Amino acid sequence: MKIFGIGMNYLEHNKELHGTLLDIEEPVVFTKADSSLLTGGKPFFIPEYTKRCEYEAELVVRINHLGRSIPKRFAHRYYDEVTVGVDFTARDLQQQLRAKGLPWDICKGFDGSAAIGEWLPKESLPEIQDLHFSLHVNGKEVQGGYTADMVFGVDDLISYISRFFTLKTGDIIFTGTPAGVGTVRLEDHLTGFLEGSKVLEFNVK
C-alpha cells in the first residue's frame, strides 16, 4: 500500500503559508510511509522531535483497482470510497528542510501522521468536486473545505500520479488541505465531517 499526499492544492492555504507556490503548474506530490497510517480512532502521539506539529484536514480517496498512466476521463473509475483524513506535519522541521532544499519525508511521513476516518461509498455522496468537509478541535470548527476550490481536482491527481507510480488496490491519496491549519496539543479531541456526517474521531496524546 502506498500513501500519497498533495501539497499546496488550495490557494487560501498557500497564502497562509506566506505565498508558497502560489503559481502551481503541476501537482506537488509526496509520499508517506505505510507506518504513518492511523485508523480506527486510535490516538495520535505528538512526536518528541517537533515543537510545532500541525493538523491538515483533507479529503482522502482510496484506489479500488490497478492502474497506470490513467487518462483523466477514466480516472473516476479508479476510486469508489472517500473519507476525511488528517495529514499531520512537523511544521518546524518542514521549514528547516524547505530552507535547505531537502525532502519532506521526516516532517510528513512519520509514524501515525496519516489519520483517516470511516470510508463512505462515493455513490452515496454528491459529485467528487462538490463535497464539503471540516475538522473540529475540541468541538470547534477549525477548518472547512470545499472540493471545488482545489487547484487540481481528484481525477487530475489520479491521472498525474499514475504517470509516475502504478496505482494499486488500497493505495490512498490525501488530496490537499484548505486554509486553517493549526498546532495540535496534548489532550486535543479531533473530529472530521464529510457532508455533515462524522467520519473521523480521535484524541491527541
Side-chain angles (χ1 to χ4, degrees), residues 153-171:
V154 173
D155 292 354
D156 294 292
L157 296 176
I158 288 174
S159 179
Y160 183 81
I161 292 170
S162 71
R163 289 169 52 190
F164 307 96
F165 304 92
T166 297
L167 294 176
K168 297 182 179 181
T169 301
D171 287 350

Side-chain angles (χ1 to χ4, degrees), residues 84-134:
V84 172
V86 177
D87 167 23
F88 284 105
T89 304
R91 191 72 68 197
D92 46 357
L93 294 184
Q94 185 185 43
Q95 291 174 342
Q96 295 169 23
L97 294 166
R98 182 179 283 146
K100 297 176 182 178
L102 297 175
W104 293 359
D105 298 62
I106 62 172
C107 71
K108 282 283 194 180
F110 56 87
D111 289 355
S113 64
I116 60 170
E118 174 188 354
W119 295 103
L120 299 181
K122 181 176 68 174
E123 291 75 14
S124 69
L125 298 165
E127 293 295 321
I128 195 71
Q129 299 305 146
D130 189 29
L131 296 178
H132 297 84
F133 62 97
S134 63

Side-chain angles (χ1 to χ4, degrees), residues 133 140 173:
F133 62 97
K140 178 182 177 181
I173 302 174

Side-chain angles (χ1 to χ4, degrees), residues 37-56:
L37 193 63
L38 186 67
T39 62
K42 297 183 183 70
F44 170 72
F45 291 90
I46 300 175
E48 52 84 21
Y49 46 78
T50 176
K51 298 186 183 304
R52 188 180 163 198
C53 188
E54 295 191 345
Y55 53 76
E56 299 185 10

Side-chain angles (χ1 to χ4, degrees), residues 54-74:
E54 295 191 345
Y55 53 76
E56 299 185 10
E58 313 196 7
L59 183 81
V60 184
V61 300
R62 182 161 62 179
I63 300 300
N64 63 355
H65 62 272
L66 186 75
R68 185 173 183 272
S69 297
I70 302 166
K72 179 184 174 181
R73 66 183 183 277
F74 297 136

Side-chain angles (χ1 to χ4, degrees), residues 17 37 53 67 115 124 134 146 150 159 175 181 185 201-202 205:
L17 294 184
L37 193 63
C53 188
S124 69
S134 63
Y146 179 43
M150 289 179 175
S159 179
T175 59
V181 301
R185 295 175 173 83
E201 184 171 18
F202 63 97
K205 299 293 184 181

Side-chain angles (χ1 to χ4, degrees), residues 1-52:
M1 180 196 70
K2 299 184 290 299
I3 302 172
F4 297 97
I6 304 298
M8 313 302 171
N9 204 28
Y10 288 82
L11 288 180
E12 291 304 312
H13 170 58
N14 300 355
K15 292 177 183 177
E16 74 179 351
L17 294 184
H18 309 294
T20 304
L21 296 177
L22 282 179
D23 185 16
I24 305 172
E25 296 181 357
E26 293 183 326
V28 177
V29 180
F30 59 91
T31 59
K32 287 174 170 277
D34 57 3
S35 61
S36 71
L37 193 63
L38 186 67
T39 62
K42 297 183 183 70
F44 170 72
F45 291 90
I46 300 175
E48 52 84 21
Y49 46 78
T50 176
K51 298 186 183 304
R52 188 180 163 198

